């Protein structure tokens, strides 16, 4: 099983920001911003099985640090955490069981902006991600055996996208709304039945420009 090491991606992001700062000193427009958002997302399992588990919606938290190269393009970095999403209790020959999944991901990509006026901007962001997924099974064997839990983790690569609107709240503070998607590919790829996880949701957040 692959380990989830945050130090390598964070080191790369730090080096990238230092490089961009050096370019900005040569006259290139620049700007650092930090944003935080909360969201609600639909969770889908993507595989070739005839039936798929139906998970409840997941809430999630997102933190982004962006660096503007000019008025229409920013380097987009982020951390996103999807809270546990559960299925309804299902029944098989042995008893009943319930699945739960949660995920965290580091994101790196670009944000493209379109200025409508001084107060409203639209944007599209796209990039790659590195994720860690936790899958938990809670199974009950009726009256034969006590119920129990088991869990496993998987990590890998994926991609994300988002379409949103930013509006000014004050000189440095902005409010942003976004429709976003996160696609986690080849979850448990070493198993006999790997699958993808797809999150699609909406967020509301605030952004501070330094």
């Amino acid at each position: 099983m692959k380990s989830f090491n945050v130090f390598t991606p964070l080191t790369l992001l730090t080096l990238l920001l230092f490089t961009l700062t050096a370019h900005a000193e040569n006259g290139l427009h620049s700007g650092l911003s930090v944003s935080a958002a909360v969201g609600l997302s639909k969770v889908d399992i993507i595989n070739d099985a005839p039936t798929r588990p139906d998970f409840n919606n997941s809430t999630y938290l997102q933190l982004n640090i962006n660096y503007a190269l000019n008025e229409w393009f920013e380097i987009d970095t982020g951390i996103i955490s999807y809270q546990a999403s559960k299925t309804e209790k299902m029944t098989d020959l042995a008893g009943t069981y319930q699945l739960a999944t949660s995920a965290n991901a580091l994101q790196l990509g670009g944000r493209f902006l379109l200025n409508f006026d001084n107060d409203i901007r639209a944007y599209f962001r796209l990039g790659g991600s590195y994720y860690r997924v936790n899958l938990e099974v809670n199974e009950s064997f009726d009256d034969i055996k006590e119920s129990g839990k088991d869990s496993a983790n998987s990590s890998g690569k994926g991609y994300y996208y988002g379409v949103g609107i930013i509006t000014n709240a004050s000189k440095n503070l902005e409010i942003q709304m976004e429709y976003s998607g996160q696609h986690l590919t080849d979850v448990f790829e070493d198993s006999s039945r790997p699958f993808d996880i797809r999150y699609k949701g909406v967020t509301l957040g605030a952004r501070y420009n330094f």
Side-chain angles (χ1 to χ4, degrees):
M1 183 179 297
K2 294 179 287 185
S3 61
F4 183 67
N5 188 346
V6 301
F7 293 103
T8 300
L10 289 178
T11 300
L12 293 175
L13 296 182
T14 302
L15 291 175
L16 180 60
L17 288 178
F18 276 119
T19 302
L20 295 176
T21 302
H23 283 207
E25 291 173 353
N26 293 327
L28 187 62
H29 174 79
S30 65
L32 186 68
S33 64
V34 176
S35 61
V38 295
L40 180 66
S41 183
K42 177 177 173 56
V43 186
D44 290 316
I45 301 296
I46 310 299
N47 60 14
D48 297 329
T51 59
R52 302 169 185 171
D54 186 16
F55 285 91
N56 296 328
N57 293 335
S58 172
T59 58
Y60 61 99
L61 305 174
Q62 184 169 332
L63 176 66
N64 288 85
I65 301 176
N66 286 16
Y67 195 95
L69 297 180
N70 50 46
E71 293 182 355
W72 59 269
F73 181 75
E74 298 177 351
I75 298 297
D76 186 64
T77 70
I79 301 174
I80 190 166
S81 178
Y82 293 95
Q83 304 304 300
S85 175
K86 298 181 180 180
T87 64
E88 299 297 328
K89 290 185 177 180
M90 296 171 283
T91 303
D92 57 18
L93 294 177
T96 61
Y97 65 96
Q98 186 178 38
L99 304 176
T101 184
S102 58
N104 298 300
L106 294 174
Q107 300 176 334
L108 176 61
R111 184 187 299 230
F112 304 85
L113 299 106
L114 176 63
N115 295 325
F116 290 114
D117 55 37
N118 293 330
D119 295 321
I120 299 178
R121 292 183 293 167
Y123 66 86
F124 171 73
R125 64 191 192 98
L126 178 69
S129 59
Y130 185 78
Y131 68 80
R132 181 178 174 87
V133 169
N134 177 265
L135 184 65
E136 182 180 275
V137 180
N138 187 356
E139 191 165 13
S140 175
F141 300 93
D142 296 332
D143 297 329
I144 302 174
K145 186 179 179 180
E146 292 184 2
S147 61
K149 291 184 180 180
D150 197 7
S151 64
N153 296 318
S154 176
S155 57
K157 299 175 183 178
Y159 62 89
Y160 71 94
Y161 60 88
V163 179
I165 295 176
I166 301 174
T167 182
N168 293 334
S170 64
K171 180 180 179 180
N172 297 101
L173 184 65
E174 297 174 317
I175 303 299
Q176 61 182 19
M177 296 172 288
E178 179 180 295
Y179 173 79
S180 64
Q182 174 79 57
H183 200 111
L184 313 181
T185 61
D186 297 324
V187 180
F188 295 104
E189 63 177 350
D190 296 330
S191 69
S192 60
R193 294 183 179 179
F195 55 90
D196 293 359
I197 299 179
R198 182 177 62 196
Y199 291 92
K200 290 184 177 180
V202 292
T203 65
L204 178 63
R207 165 175 158 130
Y208 187 84
N209 301 308
F210 292 92

